[in-house]
Amino acid sequence: MENLVERLCALQANLPACESLSIATRDGFVLATTLTDERTGELFAAVTSVVVASAKRGLAPFRAGDCRALDFRGDRQVLLVFLGELDAYLIVVLHPGAKPINADEPLLRGMILALPHVLHGKERADPPRYFLQRDEAWLTPIRSGLSIGKDDHCDVVVLGRRVEGVHLRFEVLADKILIRDLDTTHGTKLNRRSFTGTVEIAPGDRVSLPKAGGFTIVAKRPTGKLRGLTRKIKRKR
């Protein structure tokens, strides 16, 4: 169960305006939550029980998969996602005034796919390790939370006039790798196309920072085989 809470915390850190994440059974029993305050947790557990029970009967103000306002400690937005394989619900609570999200958000989708294995303690095949390739002789491992920007505290420091303090952040979920542009002014490109928010990336993809070059995504399988490795990288102006 500790692994499940750790995964929930990692997911929460990368979801905009997320206040808490929880897993509850169909009868409303909270299996795991990122809430740490005991009194808040007790209130949340009571509200969850009512919400989940009423959702099953079609009485809740939203359906599973919808994000709707709910009078929970101040008009919070709540996303209720039914996890069929687990016969349970993922409950996402956003801060007041936050922009609604949906179950198709890449980071949520990756988390939902991984939850059954974590909850049931199943062993999964060893996922690949991911790296950033800057040039022929430069690889740096990608881990969940790895940041790129020009601030000194970033994991990868890139100096550029249009690069922001913290420009990008990565998340690794099982065999999936996600990248998030942190609402930057000049944006980020994936394979020469601009993107916003969080996107899933694959070996061989090229991530470019504004006027500061970029990185190629490389995957290393447990067998040692590398995918996406670029032998010669030409710098883009």
Side-chain angles (χ1 to χ4, degrees):
M1 195 62 71
E2 289 182 3
N3 289 338
L4 180 57
V5 174
E6 289 176 3
R7 282 183 177 272
L8 289 176
C9 289
L11 177 59
Q12 179 183 346
N14 287 276
L15 283 175
C18 181
E19 184 176 86
S20 69
L21 289 175
S22 306
I23 300 290
T25 62
R26 287 187 63 144
D27 59 2
F29 178 74
V30 178
L31 294 172
T33 181
T34 60
L35 291 169
T36 56
D37 182 82
E38 186 174 338
R39 293 182 62 183
T40 301
E42 290 176 356
L43 171 62
F44 178 77
V47 173
T48 297
S49 180
V50 174
V51 169
V52 170
S54 62
K56 286 196 304 179
R57 297 194 300 268
L59 303 177
F62 52 84
R63 298 167 300 177
D66 287 346
C67 194
R68 303 282 183 87
L70 181 69
D71 187 20
F72 170 63
R73 291 181 294 146
D75 195 31
R76 262 65 170 176
Q77 289 277 348
V78 176
L79 175 66
L80 191 68
V81 183
F82 181 62
L83 308 170
E85 187 174 344
L86 297 179
D87 198 26
Y89 288 94
L90 173 65
I91 303 168
V92 185
V93 180
L94 305 183
H95 289 293
K99 181 181 178 181
I101 57 176
N102 60 64
D104 292 327
E105 204 279 340
L107 197 55
L108 265 176
R109 194 169 64 247
M111 178 66 176
I112 291 168
L113 290 173
L115 279 173
H117 301 271
V118 177
L119 189 58
H120 293 310
K122 296 179 181 178
E123 292 294 328
R124 305 190 70 172
D126 290 338
R129 294 184 63 194
Y130 292 100
F131 298 85
L132 291 174
Q133 180 187 12
R134 184 77 174 193
D135 55 42
E136 294 180 59
W138 190 95
L139 289 177
T140 191
I142 298 175
R143 57 170 177 75
S144 290
L146 182 137
S147 59
I148 297 178
K150 62 183 178 184
D151 282 355
D152 292 344
H153 61 77
C154 286
D155 298 294
V156 178
V157 178
V158 177
L159 302 179
R161 288 188 308 157
R162 296 189 176 184
V163 177
E164 302 203 6
V166 183
H167 202 97
L168 299 172
R169 185 167 285 119
F170 288 83
E171 182 69 22
V172 180
L173 294 170
D175 58 351
K176 296 183 180 296
I177 180 171
L178 307 163
I179 187 172
R180 178 171 180 77
D181 175 275
L182 301 175
D183 299 322
T184 57
T185 301
H186 298 287
T188 308
K189 290 185 178 181
L190 177 62
N191 299 327
R192 300 185 180 182
R193 292 188 176 184
S194 298
F195 72 92
T196 58
T198 302
V199 296
E200 185 176 334
I201 53 181
D205 282 347
R206 180 75 174 167
V207 179
S208 302
L209 282 74
K211 301 294 184 180
F215 307 88
T216 300
I217 306 302
V218 176
K220 184 178 182 180
R221 292 286 176 182
T223 58
K225 183 178 180 180
L226 290 170
R227 292 179 55 213
L229 189 68
T230 303
R231 296 298 177 185
K232 187 174 182 180
I233 297 179
K234 295 181 180 180
R235 290 183 174 271
K236 301 289 184 180
R237 290 191 178 184

